[in-house]
Amino acid sequence: MNQIRDDQSQRPKKLRYKIGDLLKTIGLAKATYHDERKRIARSHDKCEEAKAQILKIAQRFRLRGR
């Protein structure tokens, strides 16, 4: 994604892709695009702490078994 942005920033403004044109081409509504961007930006794993605890326990028992 960053590579695309970097490539686009190097082009003159007249030659850059417009988000509206891209969305129209792939058949995605603008509102859906912006909703997904917000969801990705806010993504937070609510089970992150539990997963860390499980990994810690698993590693501790893995070491005991050897």
Side-chain angles (χ1 to χ4, degrees):
M1 183 78 137
N2 289 334
Q3 182 181 6
I4 295 169
R5 284 188 181 147
D6 291 342
D7 179 49
Q8 286 295 303
S9 67
Q10 301 299 320
R11 294 172 170 237
K13 275 198 172 194
K14 289 182 181 181
L15 298 177
R16 293 181 191 175
Y17 296 116
K18 295 181 178 131
I19 190 68
D21 295 339
L22 293 173
L23 294 174
K24 199 178 294 182
T25 301
I26 64 172
L28 186 66
K30 221 174 194 179
T32 304
Y33 167 76
H34 288 291
D35 287 344
E36 283 300 306
R37 281 190 51 116
K38 283 182 193 173
R39 185 186 63 78
I40 291 168
R42 284 185 280 141
S43 68
H44 173 71
D45 187 1
K46 56 186 172 186
C47 299
E48 186 176 356
E49 191 175 316
K51 289 177 184 177
Q53 291 294 325
I54 291 169
L55 282 173
K56 212 182 284 185
I57 292 168
Q59 288 171 349
R60 187 171 62 205
F61 282 102
R62 201 175 306 145
L63 291 175
R64 280 190 194 171
R66 290 185 179 188

